[in-house]
Amino acid sequence: VLYTIKRTFPLRQRPQPLFKDRPCLNYDLGRCPGVCQSLIAPLEYRQTVEKVAMIFQGRTGELIETLSAQMHKAAEALDFEQAGLIRDRINNLTALNAEQKVSLPNDTVSRDAIALAADAKTACVQLFQIRAGKLVGRLGFTAQIESLSEHTETTSAASDEELGAILQRVLEEHYQSADPVEVPLEILVQYPLPEGDMLANYLSDRKGRKVTLIAPQRQAKAELIEMVEKNAIHELSRLQRQSERNLGALQDLAEVLDLPEVPRRIEGFDISHIQGSNAVASQVVFIDGLPAKQHYRHYKIQNPEITIGHSDDYASHAEIARRRFRKYAGGLNTDDPNFPDVVMIDGGKGQLSAVISILAEMNLADKMCVVSLAKQREEIFLPGESLPLPTDAEQPGVQLLRRVRDESHRFAITFHRQQRSEKQKRSYLDDIAGLGSHRQKQLLAHFHSIDYIRAASVEDLAKAPGIGSHIATEIYNYFHPQ
């Protein structure tokens, strides 16, 4: 669905402009209307976004009728280029409409359908979102059977009650972060939920209308659940194949690092800054060779000596090591499942030594395997060794460490860019009289970008939380000086 939408409607591709004075390549390719350079009017772009919203509301047919009228109007005005563009959009939406169609009684009811497939350890969950009889979204989740079924003492297949508990946990977490308008009126579930009535009452309160949970046994709704289950089975099969490859990589890594057993939890750390400014650190976690993003963390470097023009990666790594492992100081609670088997530091011998010295102070240096991975030659260093390990950069264990390193690097850079972007946004607003830090946050949360604040009228600005007519006038005058 998203692929078709992005191919059909030009939408903003980046949260921040790539260039100050010109649009990026997406504009030349017709994928973006040039919002960052004000090459499209806010009202016209809003109309495009509203058309996209109609697709997710299941109103694709209504949108096709609107576009058809626009196409005929453009043809009558002899604007054949515009008419052809609209015709291509209609063709894309017609194909999408056929793919989305789900045969169910009472197509006016918004529904979600959830099902899973599981082996002894992992459950793959699929959630289909159906609006006005159209499949508008498909979400995937994974869950560890053992972590969600604490009373299970064997590794045999989970019971229907346990699988129902997994579905309930996934639904609770999904709808807790969803907007009330996204909650459907009917939720079809593969297995009865252990506390389904409680969840239905909670969702009904959020929605403001009655929400029903059903475990269908026959006819069209049961066929829909069967289709969702088939998707979950396919995803589980893919994940199992990937797990087999990861197991081989973990076994190879255990041999490379001379570990007593295959490592389960690997943590990677990286530092990101520009000459010391906005210094941040990342912590990524891989469990059984797969990224566990729910355990990712980022840190702002607190060392007062690290400022603009003065960076110190050694001190930064040492600070993060102390903060990450301080609750285990003295060797306490190292049997905690969140305590890593392997720690990977992005860097060379210097960064590794800085971390090891901190861990030694905390009596933790011998409780985990700590290594560093140097970027230039993909060399692995162990504490106290002057030479890197004799490894092949292409062997599975080394490639796994590289994936951890690359992910920690990506996560650190992403957080660093967010910090710089937030600082730049604030710098635009700092000079406006009466607009303190709290109101700046409210204003940015309401409009999402400086570009939209600049384009807003005094009336629109005054509608933002905490912004009255007086401050709205100050903001408008700041961006539109006489």
Side-chain angles (χ1 to χ4, degrees):
V1 177
L2 285 176
Y3 174 78
T4 302
I5 288 173
K6 289 182 178 180
R7 191 177 59 177
T8 305
F9 297 99
L11 296 169
R12 182 171 186 163
Q13 301 292 317
R14 295 175 174 272
Q16 295 299 323
L18 188 61
F19 307 107
K20 292 183 178 180
D21 56 350
R22 58 188 174 91
C24 65
L25 186 61
N26 287 312
Y27 176 77
D28 299 317
L29 294 175
R31 297 175 181 173
C32 175
V35 176
C36 63
Q37 303 299 325
S38 300
L39 299 177
I40 183 173
L43 178 59
E44 185 180 352
Y45 187 65
R46 181 184 292 273
Q47 291 172 345
T48 301
V49 174
E50 288 174 350
K51 292 175 182 176
V52 173
M54 291 176 68
I55 298 174
F56 286 104
Q57 293 167 354
R59 299 163 58 195
T60 310
E62 181 183 340
L63 177 57
I64 290 174
E65 292 179 2
T66 301
L67 291 176
S68 296
Q70 293 177 0
M71 179 182 67
H72 292 308
K73 185 176 180 181
E76 291 173 359
L78 304 183
D79 188 352
F80 299 115
E81 182 178 354
Q82 179 67 14
L85 178 62
I86 298 175
R87 178 205 60 206
D88 293 341
R89 290 178 177 175
I90 291 173
N91 291 339
N92 288 338
L93 292 173
T94 301
L96 176 64
N97 204 26
E99 294 174 1
Q100 286 182 305
K101 184 65 179 176
V102 178
S103 180
L104 281 176
N106 192 1
D107 284 348
T108 62
V109 175
S110 59
R111 293 183 175 92
D112 282 357
I114 187 170
L116 58 77
D119 56 20
K121 293 183 178 180
T122 306
C124 287
V125 184
Q126 291 283 301
L127 177 67
F128 281 26
Q129 298 169 309
I130 301 158
R131 303 295 182 266
K134 305 293 191 305
L135 177 63
V136 301
R138 187 179 71 180
L139 304 176
F141 310 88
T142 58
Q144 297 300 315
I145 297 288
E146 55 192 3
S147 64
L148 294 178
S149 306
E150 297 177 356
H151 58 280
T152 302
E153 297 179 356
T154 69
T155 57
S156 60
S159 65
D160 289 359
E161 291 79 8
E162 291 168 331
L163 297 177
I166 294 174
L167 292 179
Q168 172 135 356
R169 177 73 66 86
V170 170
L171 289 174
E172 288 173 349
E173 293 181 356
H174 170 64
Y175 292 124
Q176 187 174 13
S177 58
D179 192 274
V181 72
E182 299 175 19
V183 177
L185 294 177
E186 187 175 277
I187 302 172
L188 307 179
V189 297
Q190 181 185 19
Y191 298 101
L193 307 185
E195 297 179 347
D197 292 341
M198 184 181 299
L199 178 60
N201 292 335
Y202 166 74
L203 294 177
S204 298
D205 290 340
R206 289 203 66 200
K207 180 77 173 177
R209 296 178 62 184
K210 182 176 177 56
V211 175
T212 306
L213 276 80
I214 303 173
Q217 302 298 319
R218 56 184 180 177
Q219 297 182 342
K221 294 181 180 180
E223 292 175 1
L224 175 59
I225 286 293
E226 184 178 353
M227 180 178 69
V228 180
E229 182 183 4
K230 287 180 179 178
N231 278 265
I233 292 172
H234 175 76
E235 182 63 20
L236 178 63
S237 177
R238 185 192 65 82
L239 189 61
Q240 287 171 337
R241 292 193 299 269
Q242 186 177 20
S243 296
E244 290 176 2
R245 293 193 297 269
N246 288 336
L247 179 58
L250 289 168
Q251 290 171 337
D252 183 63
L253 182 61
E255 293 181 11
V256 168
L257 302 180
D258 194 23
L259 301 176
E261 56 186 19
V262 173
R264 183 170 189 272
R265 182 183 176 107
I266 303 174
E267 295 188 4
F269 295 86
D270 190 19
I271 306 295
S272 182
H273 59 83
I274 297 180
Q275 296 182 341
S277 66
N278 298 110
V280 299
S282 68
Q283 171 199 341
V284 301
V285 178
F286 278 49
I287 296 178
D288 294 332
L290 294 172
K293 295 189 177 183
Q294 69 272 25
H295 297 297
Y296 283 19
R297 298 291 182 269
H298 50 237
Y299 304 83
K300 294 180 182 179
I301 301 301
Q302 299 174 349
N303 190 334
E305 296 182 0
I306 298 177
T307 57
I308 297 177
H310 180 74
S311 61
D312 189 336
D313 282 1
Y314 299 164
S316 296
H317 271 295
E319 174 188 326
I320 298 309
R322 187 184 299 277
R323 291 166 61 183
R324 166 63 182 99
F325 297 110
R326 58 191 170 194
K327 68 178 180 180
Y328 303 107
L332 301 175
N333 302 318
T334 55
D335 57 347
D336 182 349
N338 292 325
F339 190 79
D341 302 302
V342 175
V343 169
M344 192 284 304
I345 304 299
D346 185 9
K349 292 183 289 185
Q351 287 88 345
L352 178 60
S353 297
V355 171
I356 287 295
S357 64
I358 293 299
L359 295 178
E361 291 178 12
M362 304 168 75
N363 294 322
L364 292 174
D366 60 344
K367 302 295 184 182
M368 67 186 91
C369 177
V370 185
V371 302
S372 66
L373 182 62
K375 290 186 179 72
Q376 190 171 6
R377 297 181 181 178
E378 309 294 358
E379 295 175 328
I380 302 174
F381 288 93
L382 292 176
E385 300 291 336
S386 59
L387 296 177
L389 291 174
T391 58
D392 180 355
E394 300 305 318
Q395 68 185 94
V398 179
Q399 288 185 333
L400 175 58
L401 276 187
R402 287 164 60 183
R403 288 200 297 272
V404 176
R405 189 272 314 281
D406 292 344
E407 181 69 353
S408 66
H409 187 62
R410 180 200 65 80
F411 194 54
I413 287 179
T414 300
F415 183 51
H416 179 249
R417 286 174 177 167
Q418 290 175 351
Q419 295 301 301
R420 280 196 297 139
S421 174
E422 187 68 22
K423 187 174 182 179
Q424 289 170 353
K425 287 179 182 178
R426 296 287 185 85
S427 67
Y428 279 107
L429 305 175
D430 283 339
D431 296 333
I432 301 177
L435 196 63
S437 175
H438 181 65
R439 282 175 172 162
Q440 288 180 17
K441 291 180 180 179
Q442 290 180 305
L443 191 65
L444 287 169
H446 184 77
F447 285 99
H448 302 295
S449 86
I450 293 293
D451 292 334
Y452 288 130
I453 296 174
R454 182 186 289 112
S457 64
V458 175
E459 292 76 14
D460 290 336
L461 291 167
K463 294 177 182 177
I467 307 297
S469 57
H470 175 70
I471 297 179
T473 303
E474 293 285 343
I475 297 170
Y476 184 85
N477 291 338
Y478 175 81
F479 286 107
H480 304 84
Q482 295 296 327

